[in-house]
Amino acid sequence: LNAAPERAPRQRVRFLPNPAPRGGGAVELVAASVPVLADHPLVRGPRFRKLKIGAGHRLDVKASGVFVLGIGHGNKLLSDLYNCHLTKVYTVGGLFGKATDDFSDTGNLIEKTTFDHITREKLERILAVIQGTNQKALLMYSNIDMKTQEAYELAVKGLLRPMGKSPPIITAIRCLQFALPEFQLEIHCLHETQQYLRKVVHEIGLELKSSAVCTQVRRTRDGVFTVDDALPRTQWNLQSIQEAIRNCQLKVETELEKTLA
Amino acid sequence: RGFCVPAGPPSTRQLREADEAAPVFQYAGKAAGRKDRVFVWGFSYSGALGIPSFVKPDAGWKKPRRIQPTPYRLETEDKISSAACGYGFTLLASNTRDITKVWGMGLNKDSQLGFQRSRRDQTKGYEYVLEPSPIPLPLEKPQQTRVLQVSCGRAHSLVLTDSEGVFTMGNNSYGQCGRKVVEDEIYSGSHLIHQLKEFDSRVVQVVCGQDHSLFRTKKGSVYACGWGADGQTGLGHYNITSVPTKLHGDIAGVNIIQVSSYGDCCLAVSDEGDVFGWGNSEYLQLASVTETTQVNVPRHLPFRIGKVKEAACGGTGNIVLTEEGNVFVWGYGILGKGPNLIETAEPEMIPPSLFGWSDFSPDTRVAHVRCGLSQFAALTNRGELFVWGKNLRGCLGTGRMEDQYFPWRVTVPGEVVDVACGVDHMVSMVRSFT
């Protein structure tokens, strides 16, 4: 980063004495714009010695996916993005038939159950119920008086969202793949932790009169940042990072304006 | 000396062996079916919820529960196929061929639940029935006839059977039971259950208004009897009728597929999707065709909202469901479009996004609509129940006591198949998920 071409040094207007053509006498002052000596690279040293990097929403050790970072002045945007309370999308993989203590497949086994009575239809019914109860929680925690006309209008447009602290809420959930004993869900949620998603998988197993563990949690979208914008491990170099920042800048600005206006 | 080996972290092989050795539990077999349940909620002091411990608690220190704000399971032995809520009482009916087909609970001051013999005094009957008690119907073939539907009004009830016509019981001061009005008749503790059989064809739907009764026959004609001061009998006059008489007016010759009423206004839907209304119009229910406040002849309501599939009438507001799955409301009161919409004469649509429709689930639509006196209920095809309206004594089932100005989902542990709305309580028939 320090090898990149540097900013031009600041210019300052100084009044320099102009050597008078006739020696002696009044010294005239001429205004000239000269570079400030304090900005000289040899005086100042390398531009960047430390970089401040802030992290967006937390991601577990066992989970994977999009992770938003802010660099330098971007850290201020991070807190604004947090206050926007945008939804995150996860792809959660599960396995029927086992129950463990930490709800994932690497924990201590507690119980094994049969699962051949489970059909895709039953799973979708349970998912519809989860969505319905979370829809209610969404309206309740959005802290708007239900009796007003604006509450009705926001509810119609679907913009009613908790804009403060709230327990985890799932706004949408659907089944992507179903092949006994494995299944995959897509979950849109707010204010959640990955362990909460694993707990949801465990509870789905209990509702279906069996048990389930979570095998995979992958975040595919965090607010405006999707998997396409995210840089994989092979691309963690300066050019890609700068390009990615430039691409996302516009999106972030429009989103912040829209929500915090 | 090498006999003991310290235990380290379990190796993969040990883990796999432990995993395979673990016992497998079976909670539900492959043929486990879905169970049918009944949930009730609302005002309980009249006994209409059918749970005696709400009114008379089983322990001395417990207090009676006046209102049940969230759905509570009512244990029944048989599968209930039809339910109806009246003004402080409930009727449950099952499709079986057993001898007891109908149960009733709640107010019985006008014998609207038949004669319930009191255990303390064998000559008198109970005035409040706290538990679902069987109603003895005078059937000719009790082990063959099936009860199709029940309906309840303010103080009378109708039971529809498949081969023996309609049975009516309860208050008859306006002829709503279909028999001649007897002056100074004492209705409480009465054994009289009247049977109605003279219609042009088999009766397929019975509906009770507040003090009148409507019968719809297979041929598509509508009969009415009872109080007519608001024109709700639709027979062209404002007097009471004590014999079911056929309606004419705009519905003469039209094949009606559904009739609905709960207060003093009535709606009928034809097979072509047209809506006809008659009765009370003080709350702008029929103001789209007439300025008078009482309409005593069925009039066609020229709404351009599409083909109507189902209609429901409340005390002051009406609701219809079209073929596309859109819900329209009009009338007076809390109509479901926020606190600003109090009254309208033309139908207004409620946006489907309030019923769970979104980009993720575009095929969620409303399947049925029902009306209580000042509440509305809508059932979606996913088995979710949405309610809105005046929350009289907790009848909406939301868990809160405030009025609800837009559709709100009721949390019921199961897929709601049907719901019956009353004045201050509701009954729902639910199938469990797995």
Side-chain angles (χ1 to χ4, degrees), chain B residues 96-107:
Chain B
T96 77
R97 285 212 165 119
D98 299 343
I99 301 185
T100 31
K101 302 168 207 287
V102 189
W103 295 264
M105 54 249 204
L107 278 182

Side-chain angles (χ1 to χ4, degrees), chain A residues 109 111-114 116-117 125 128-129 132-133 136 139 146-149 152 156 172 174 188 207-209, chain B residues 19 22 24-30 34 337-340 351 353-354 360 384 406 408-409 411 415 433-434:
Chain A
L109 181 70
E111 196 180 57
K112 272 169 61 164
T113 55
T114 58
D116 42 354
H117 61 277
R125 240 179 275 145
V129 170
T133 46
K136 242 175 81 162
L139 296 178
M146 286 297 147
K147 295 195 180 171
T148 54
Q149 183 68 18
Y152 163 72
V156 170
R174 67 178 171 177
H188 295 233
E207 273 292 327
L208 289 165
K209 298 201 184 122
Chain B
D19 199 34
V24 180
F25 292 95
Q26 185 184 49
Y27 288 112
K30 238 185 145 108
R34 295 169 74 182
K337 290 194 71 155
N340 287 0
S353 57
L354 288 173
F360 267 107
E384 295 182 332
F406 57 90
W408 185 266
R409 187 179 180 273
T411 315
E415 192 182 309
F433 288 123
T434 45

Side-chain angles (χ1 to χ4, degrees), chain A residues 90 92-94 96 102-104 123 126-127 129-131 133-134 168-174 183 185-190 192-208 210-214 217:
Chain A
Y90 286 83
V92 174
F96 283 122
D102 67 348
F103 311 135
S104 76
L123 181 66
I126 303 280
L127 296 183
V129 170
I130 294 179
Q131 211 165 343
T133 46
N134 278 277
I169 297 183
I170 298 181
T171 53
I173 183 169
R174 67 178 171 177
F183 63 99
L185 305 171
E186 183 185 315
I187 306 185
H188 295 233
C189 38
L190 280 174
E192 82 305 338
T193 56
Q194 284 78 41
Q195 192 60 16
Y196 177 77
L197 295 176
R198 291 191 195 101
K199 190 173 158 196
V200 166
V201 169
H202 174 250
E203 279 171 4
I204 289 176
L206 290 181
E207 273 292 327
L208 289 165
S210 176
S211 50
V213 289
C214 174
V217 176

Side-chain angles (χ1 to χ4, degrees), chain B residues 181-247:
Chain B
V181 181
V182 175
E183 274 205 29
D184 296 330
E185 183 177 349
I186 303 171
Y187 296 107
S188 95
S190 153
H191 290 253
L192 187 57
I193 299 184
H194 189 63
Q195 189 179 15
L196 293 166
K197 278 198 202 168
E198 296 88 32
F199 298 96
D200 61 357
S201 50
R202 197 161 67 83
V203 179
V204 278
Q205 191 193 357
V206 285
V207 167
C208 285
Q210 192 164 0
D211 281 310
H212 70 291
S213 316
L214 297 170
F215 310 85
R216 174 174 70 89
T217 62
K218 200 156 175 201
K219 282 197 186 157
S221 47
V222 181
Y223 286 74
C225 64
W227 201 38
D230 275 331
Q232 59 263 56
T233 45
L235 294 169
H237 56 76
Y238 293 110
N239 311 324
I240 62 176
T241 319
S242 44
V243 173
T245 323
K246 193 164 166 175
L247 266 70

